[in-house]
Amino acid sequence: MKGRKRSGKQIALLCVLVFLMGILQGCGTTEENFDNIPLTAEEETDIGFKNVTVHDPSIVKDNGSYYIFGSHLAAAKSQDLMNWSLIGSGVTKGNPIIPDAMNEMPEAFEWAKTDTFWAPDVIRLKDGKYYMYYCNCEGSSPLSCMGLAVSDSIEGPYSDKGIFLKSGMAGKSEDGNPYDATKQPNVVDPCVFYDADGRLWMIYGSYSGGIFALEMDENTGLPLQPGYGKKLLGGNHLRIEAAYVQYNPDTEYYYMFLSFGGLTSDGGYNIRVCRSRTPDGPYYDSAGHDMIDCAGPGGSFFDDRTAEQYGVKLIGNYKWTWQEGEDGKNRRGLVSPGHNSTYFDEETGDYFIIFHTRFENMGENHEVRVHRMFFNEEGWPVISPYRYAGEDPEAYEEKAVPGRYKLLKHGRQITTQMEESVNITLYSDGRVEGACTGSWELSEDHHIKITLGEDTYEGIVCRQYDEFGKKYVIGFTALSEDGEAVWGSGLAAIE
């Protein structure tokens, strides 16, 4: 039986229906299929790193080299922020930084009843010399002191100029009042910097009475006024320390980075940030909390539940999970990342954050890590998902952004829990599906806005090197208004 011949109108109508069905199918979830994306690079990309152990790394650049100084008189240098070589470590007579520290600084060791240094900071002052602000602490109490050592060379040797600040004493303290550890500082963890107007400041403190600010004399390197200075936050032994301040000339804010929690592998160390228009505060977090209110209730001790309500949490314990088909099946999580410093390259406009971290199932072993740092549209810093590998973060095509991702949510808690990545998919039409659902959109300068459930995050899309999978991927890093960070790591290997 012959079929009937279709009229021209019928053929035209059929064509329109087929076209519309194609559009409707294209708008559905079947339009994009990411099942066959390359999970490994065509040519294995194995970037080498030379790691170093320097606890509490404070960075300074000099004559084209990057230097980090840390606790226990450890220091290292690098040309590229990826490969580090140790200069010295340990309070021993063979350390070139301070060759005979026990005899060079007898007053400091005697006061603090210790045989080692804690976190120092090094800065070059007006006279061209290098000033090391060192600190010693008994450890189980705030019996501490801070001193100054000077050198003509950044690598030392440094000569002692004496201690200038003490804490933990029985009786009258530096401000003339009886020392009270719930209100006054533990004088450790100095961060010394010039503000935008050329004034010199020191931010310092740990646990005990909190974080304080002192204006300094750039001619002597010493405080301009006696006493402990201005209190910025903390009190009643909140576990907050390691203040480091970075000025951003574009946003005109001073960003104070802090470590909350305990530094050990089971301490829940995590990095947070707040900001101010002036170097000595007041500082606020992204939710608008005045950080001066960040203090434990009277009579409390290590009240993490109070502390975690403050500050923008940038990074805590985390682990990127392995996906079948990827390289790097045995991936280790990072544990208690903290006590950071930051670096701003005025020529390139690049920011970096430098911190130490411990690792999953590796006890108290620790290494230095360097990540890029960006600023989102709200002017808050966000940390790149992977360590810096010399990559150009903008070397990717925007059409490569849709795809399958691993998602890490850092939360707000001070916790020993390991946050592990889950899987989501970003579709070209702006949908987010998977373990979290929502939407996303890209704007100028690689900025991304991603909504997951009821929370919206502002951040940056960047090209990253996945050191576990030995491949380049698309990544994103973003913050919510109430101070929670999310990271994304694309599964697809890109060129």
Side-chain angles (χ1 to χ4, degrees):
M1 181 178 177
K2 290 185 179 180
R4 290 180 297 176
K5 187 175 181 180
R6 299 182 186 273
S7 69
K9 290 183 179 181
Q10 288 176 317
I11 293 174
L13 179 61
L14 183 61
C15 290
V16 170
L17 289 173
V18 171
F19 176 70
L20 290 174
M21 288 177 64
I23 292 177
L24 291 172
Q25 289 177 348
C27 292
T29 57
T30 58
E31 177 193 9
E32 294 170 295
N33 188 323
F34 301 110
D35 291 339
N36 297 318
I37 57 174
L39 299 181
T40 59
E42 290 185 12
E43 296 184 9
E44 186 176 281
T45 307
D46 192 0
I47 295 177
F49 299 91
K50 186 178 179 183
N51 298 315
V52 70
T53 296
V54 175
H55 209 267
D56 314 318
S58 178
I59 192 167
V60 58
K61 191 175 184 181
D62 186 70
N63 292 323
S65 294
Y66 301 94
Y67 291 86
I68 48 175
F69 292 86
S71 293
H72 315 302
L73 210 56
K77 63 181 177 180
S78 172
Q79 298 293 318
D80 58 7
L81 296 173
M82 297 162 54
N83 297 281
W84 295 92
S85 59
L86 198 66
I87 297 171
S89 183
V91 182
T92 64
K93 290 187 177 182
N95 192 324
I97 304 164
I98 304 176
D100 191 4
M102 296 297 291
N103 289 319
E104 182 77 21
M105 289 103 158
E107 184 185 11
F109 290 105
E110 182 179 351
W111 172 264
K113 303 190 185 315
T114 184
D115 60 0
T116 192
F117 292 102
W118 281 20
D121 196 27
V122 173
I123 186 172
R124 194 175 190 182
L125 294 185
K126 183 179 179 179
D127 59 6
K129 296 181 182 294
Y130 300 89
Y131 287 69
M132 175 185 287
Y133 290 79
Y134 64 85
C135 55
N136 306 70
C137 183
E138 186 271 333
S140 63
S141 75
L143 186 63
S144 305
C145 62
M146 194 175 298
L148 196 57
V150 182
S151 175
D152 292 324
S153 168
I154 192 169
E155 297 188 25
Y158 285 83
S159 299
D160 188 36
K161 296 297 181 182
I163 59 178
F164 62 88
L165 210 57
K166 297 178 182 177
S167 64
M169 63 279 287
K172 189 177 292 186
S173 69
E174 299 283 8
D175 61 12
N177 299 309
Y179 183 79
D180 182 346
T182 67
K183 299 177 181 178
Q184 294 163 313
N186 181 12
V187 296
V188 296
D189 296 356
C191 168
V192 183
F193 62 96
Y194 282 101
D195 69 13
D197 298 319
R199 297 164 66 186
L200 189 66
W201 296 88
M202 181 176 75
I203 311 292
Y204 71 99
S206 169
Y207 288 40
S208 300
I211 307 299
F212 286 68
L214 275 169
E215 188 169 2
M216 312 295 278
D217 184 340
E218 69 168 346
N219 295 302
T220 65
L222 298 174
L224 284 173
Q225 301 293 334
Y228 291 123
K230 181 181 178 180
K231 185 172 182 175
L232 302 180
L233 62 98
N236 288 319
H237 303 287
L238 282 193
R239 298 199 298 172
I240 302 175
E241 60 186 6
Y244 194 90
V245 175
Q246 174 70 63
Y247 179 68
N248 183 323
D250 293 323
T251 66
E252 298 183 338
Y253 276 109
Y254 294 87
Y255 295 85
M256 181 165 59
F257 297 83
L258 299 155
S259 291
F260 282 43
L263 62 88
T264 58
S265 59
D266 61 354
Y269 229 26
N270 62 97
I271 298 173
R272 301 191 183 216
V273 69
C274 49
R275 69 187 184 185
S276 173
R277 289 296 184 187
T278 54
D280 60 341
Y283 282 84
Y284 296 89
D285 64 17
S286 61
H289 298 131
D290 188 336
M291 295 299 288
I292 196 64
D293 297 326
C294 178
S300 65
F301 197 82
F302 291 6
D303 187 348
D304 287 347
R305 300 292 77 80
T306 293
E308 67 189 16
Q309 299 175 47
Y310 294 85
V312 177
K313 184 180 176 183
L314 298 177
I315 180 175
N317 295 1
Y318 71 92
K319 182 177 183 177
W320 295 109
T321 55
W322 176 75
Q323 301 291 302
E324 187 172 355
E326 284 189 299
D327 287 334
K329 184 174 183 179
N330 297 319
R331 300 176 177 224
R332 59 181 181 178
L334 270 64
V335 174
S336 289
H339 203 125
N340 74 279
S341 56
T342 61
Y343 177 72
F344 170 56
D345 189 317
E346 294 183 1
E347 293 183 3
T348 65
D350 292 332
Y351 287 87
F352 298 91
I353 185 166
I354 301 90
F355 57 92
H356 72 250
T357 184
R358 288 164 170 78
F359 302 94
E360 183 182 21
N361 300 321
M362 291 188 66
E364 301 309 314
N365 293 323
H366 56 86
E367 293 175 352
V368 172
R369 289 294 182 268
V370 179
H371 287 228
R372 277 189 181 272
M373 191 167 67
F374 309 96
F375 286 82
N376 69 10
E377 289 188 325
E378 300 300 319
W380 287 100
V382 290
I383 298 175
S384 62
Y386 289 103
R387 70 190 299 190
Y388 174 63
E391 73 282 351
D392 178 357
E394 298 182 359
Y396 69 91
E397 295 182 358
E398 292 185 2
K399 67 180 181 181
V401 176
R404 292 167 57 195
Y405 284 79
K406 301 174 187 179
L407 176 74
L408 268 168
K409 301 178 75 173
H410 286 281
R412 288 196 53 82
Q413 286 187 311
I414 300 171
T415 177
T416 60
Q417 178 182 339
M418 179 78 73
E419 299 295 340
E420 297 191 3
S421 62
V422 296
N423 294 332
I424 61 171
T425 301
L426 272 58
Y427 288 97
S428 295
D429 63 5
R431 286 177 298 113
V432 177
E433 302 288 349
C436 298
T437 59
S439 61
W440 71 279
E441 60 180 282
L442 206 60
S443 59
E444 294 180 1
D445 299 324
H446 309 280
H447 287 275
I448 189 172
K449 178 185 290 186
I450 182 166
T451 299
L452 304 171
E454 297 180 354
D455 298 315
T456 298
Y457 304 82
E458 301 270 358
I460 299 291
V461 174
C462 51
R463 180 173 177 263
Q464 289 273 278
Y465 175 65
D466 175 356
E467 64 173 309
F468 305 106
K470 300 187 184 305
K471 60 183 177 181
Y472 286 101
V473 299
I474 300 295
F476 63 80
T477 173
L479 284 176
S480 66
E481 185 177 354
D482 62 355
E484 293 188 33
V486 293
W487 290 353
S489 172
L491 278 172
I494 64 172
E495 295 301 320

